[in-house]
Amino acid sequence: MNEMLSSFIDYLYEEKNLSENTLMSYRRDLKQYEEYVLKNGIDYLTVKKDDLNEYLSYLKELGKAPSTVSRNVASLKAFYGFLYDESVIDTNPSEGIRYNKNVRKIPGVLTGREIDKLFSQPDITTFKGLRDKAMLEVLYATGIRVSELISLKNKDINIKVGYISCSGNGTKRVIPLHDEAIDILKLYIKRHKNMFTEEGFIFVNVNGQPITRQGFWKVIKEYVKAARIKKEITPNTLRHSFAAHLIQNGADLKSIQQMLGHKDISTTQIYNNFTNSRITQIYKNAHPKAR
């Protein structure tokens, strides 16, 4: 990618007459994108729209400002438009991506029934199925980010007491695990303890290498399809479902903020919308004159 990136920057300089600051922004954005694709084993020439949207989700997870994410969209569109015009790629994956930095969209969540359907898909008699089930349970039990999930090490999980500790977005926090998550983790670790070390990653592939974000995204899509769930799902859907279900069942916003690792409670306040929607539904179901 480095060679094509250099050609793109030369093109911007020679043909578009852009300022030095603008060129630096493009280069910085795309170098970060290059690091991401290399780390996750992604071929930047064959990515799809979903891959680019996943990258934007990753930037948001890192705590990037909406204006920064929006600028990255522009950088990706310009880069892939250049590759398409130069016949390096046959289709432009960036055509369908967009990011409105001024609109805070209510995140999509799964219902309790959909969670049950999704979690019943992995075949826990196999290594992959047991690992996948454990990942899903831990993610929904704790609401941690996908990047935090795949970074968990043996030393970060206290099965005996029932909690995990993780660091992300500049925060270090301890989050409890419910019984189902504890039980599946115990089984996973017991069956495959030869694959783990104290400093090693807990969620690994058959070669003992840590799962990547891209790998987890494939896991989610596989089981969503098998469960015949029609909603638009992202790797963060379980994180959003965790927060929404907690607030619907009476958890306070401050506690949810701490568990999610949000620096600013205004980020967490979007989940208040799920309380409001639940109240509306209760009213419709219970009030004798409601329709």
Side-chain angles (χ1 to χ4, degrees):
M1 179 173 166
N2 189 55
E3 184 178 339
M4 291 309 306
L5 178 55
S6 296
S7 298
F8 172 61
I9 298 298
D10 289 343
Y11 160 78
L12 293 178
Y13 179 75
E14 294 168 4
E15 301 292 335
K16 297 296 184 180
N17 197 30
L18 299 179
S19 70
E20 189 63 35
N21 283 341
T22 302
L23 290 173
M24 285 177 61
S25 293
Y26 275 117
R27 184 184 294 277
R28 183 170 57 249
D29 291 346
L30 292 169
K31 286 300 288 184
Q32 179 167 308
Y33 175 63
E34 181 182 31
E35 291 172 5
Y36 172 84
V37 297
L38 287 173
K39 180 180 178 182
N40 290 280
I42 300 169
D43 182 350
Y44 76 98
L45 293 177
T46 60
V47 297
K48 301 291 188 288
K49 182 179 75 171
D50 282 350
D51 297 312
L52 296 182
N53 282 328
E54 162 63 2
Y55 175 63
L56 298 178
S57 295
Y58 166 72
L59 293 179
K60 286 184 276 187
E61 273 191 23
L62 291 179
K64 300 294 184 183
S67 57
T68 301
V69 179
S70 184
R71 192 193 66 225
N72 272 268
V73 171
S75 297
L76 289 169
K77 280 180 171 291
F79 179 59
Y80 278 105
F82 167 75
L83 295 181
Y84 179 74
D85 291 342
E86 294 293 310
S87 300
V88 177
I89 54 177
D90 296 326
T91 57
N92 184 350
S94 71
E95 283 186 346
I97 65 168
R98 56 180 57 86
Y99 180 75
N100 189 338
K101 62 183 179 182
N102 297 316
V103 176
R104 295 191 67 196
K105 184 180 177 182
I106 298 175
V109 302
L110 298 174
T111 64
R113 182 175 295 179
E114 288 168 336
I115 290 285
D116 290 341
K117 284 177 65 178
L118 180 64
F119 285 22
S120 68
Q121 299 309 311
D123 177 5
I124 64 171
T125 64
T126 68
F127 165 74
K128 179 183 181 302
L130 185 56
R131 180 205 65 196
D132 295 348
K133 171 82 167 177
M135 286 197 297
L136 294 173
E137 288 284 5
V138 170
L139 199 60
Y140 179 57
T142 60
I144 59 177
R145 301 173 179 88
V146 173
S147 56
E148 294 169 334
L149 176 80
I150 62 178
S151 298
L152 285 176
K153 296 184 177 180
N154 234 6
K155 61 184 178 63
D156 300 322
I157 300 177
N158 190 318
I159 294 289
K160 197 169 185 179
V161 179
Y163 71 82
I164 64 168
S165 59
C166 67
S167 302
N169 200 24
T171 63
K172 186 173 179 64
R173 58 204 195 279
V174 173
I175 309 168
L177 292 164
H178 58 58
D179 289 344
E180 287 185 50
I182 292 171
D183 289 344
I184 200 71
L185 271 173
K186 279 182 179 177
L187 185 60
Y188 172 61
I189 293 170
K190 181 180 178 180
R191 282 191 190 171
H192 305 289
K193 59 185 177 183
N194 61 308
M195 300 185 72
F196 312 124
T197 63
E198 183 71 13
E199 290 298 321
F201 293 98
I202 194 75
F203 296 119
V204 296
N205 60 26
V206 291
N207 297 317
Q209 298 301 308
I211 294 292
T212 63
R213 286 179 59 88
Q214 192 73 3
F216 181 79
W217 182 212
K218 289 178 181 176
V219 165
I220 285 282
K221 289 197 286 189
E222 173 190 345
Y223 295 127
V224 165
K225 183 178 180 180
R228 298 182 180 179
I229 296 172
K230 302 301 182 184
K231 290 179 179 176
E232 183 177 345
I233 305 295
T234 73
N236 279 328
T237 297
L238 288 176
R239 175 171 161 87
H240 296 319
S241 300
F242 162 84
H245 294 168
L246 279 184
I247 204 164
Q248 285 177 344
N249 286 286
D252 65 278
L253 209 59
K254 187 68 177 175
S255 296
I256 295 174
Q257 177 197 2
Q258 292 173 350
M259 285 185 279
L260 291 176
H262 288 161
K263 289 184 177 180
D264 191 334
I265 200 167
S266 65
T267 307
T268 320
Q269 284 171 340
I270 193 168
Y271 296 107
N272 274 331
N273 289 286
F274 292 101
T275 301
N276 297 335
S277 63
R278 183 169 181 259
I279 289 171
T280 300
Q281 192 60 49
I282 290 171
Y283 179 86
K284 286 181 178 179
N285 291 339
H287 198 288
K289 290 187 178 291
R291 292 184 181 181

